[in-house]
Amino acid sequence: MNIGQAAKASGVSAKMIRYYEQIKLITPPHRTESSYRTYAENDIHTLRFIRRARDLGFSVEQMKTLLALWRDRSRASADVKSIALEHIAELERKAAAIQAMTETLKHLANHCHGDNRPDCPIIEEFANSGQKDDDLPGINARFGVNGFRTEQSSP
């Protein structure tokens, strides 16, 4: 099947299939004499594997490792589980950071009068980032939030 058919069958866009080839996540498929890519059923299976891993948020490097383990029939399931558990921990860290950002923004929004006055704690917090303000819940997120801590500070 051609790249369009492979994209439809796997749920991975043709552009992403080409990208995965370029970064060597997948092996280049067979080409016809006129240089068209042709994909076999095992290629589609691999692309579906990648799509599912990508849908679960695995990085390209993690997907490379998972693909190698998938292809290795003598693999230890402990190796696969280790990658999954590391990914779970990272997802949980991100979820906690997002929750903390949400709480911080709720706090700021609740203290903003939302009227015609220029005073706004949201703008003031952004302008004074990096200065400690014990009234705000804190996080240390990798999402561009400055001056916050990972856990709620204790008194």
Side-chain angles (χ1 to χ4, degrees), residues 16-81:
M16 289 306 294
I17 292 172
R18 288 186 202 96
Y19 171 70
Y20 293 151
E21 267 184 60
Q22 179 186 354
I23 63 169
K24 298 186 180 1
L25 186 60
I26 60 174
T27 56
H30 174 68
R31 288 188 178 255
T32 64
E33 286 184 22
S34 55
S35 293
Y36 288 106
R37 294 170 172 88
T38 58
Y39 295 88
E41 194 56 40
N42 62 330
D43 297 319
I44 304 307
H45 198 90
T46 299
L47 289 168
R48 287 180 182 147
F49 181 100
I50 291 168
R51 186 197 69 227
R52 184 64 178 143
R54 186 187 68 204
D55 288 348
L56 291 172
F58 284 96
S59 69
V60 169
E61 285 307 312
Q62 290 170 320
M63 288 190 291
K64 282 182 182 180
T65 303
L66 289 168
L67 279 167
L69 288 167
W70 179 47
R71 291 177 179 133
D72 179 5
R73 296 294 176 199
S74 64
R75 70 181 169 264
S77 65
D79 294 337
V80 179
K81 184 175 183 175

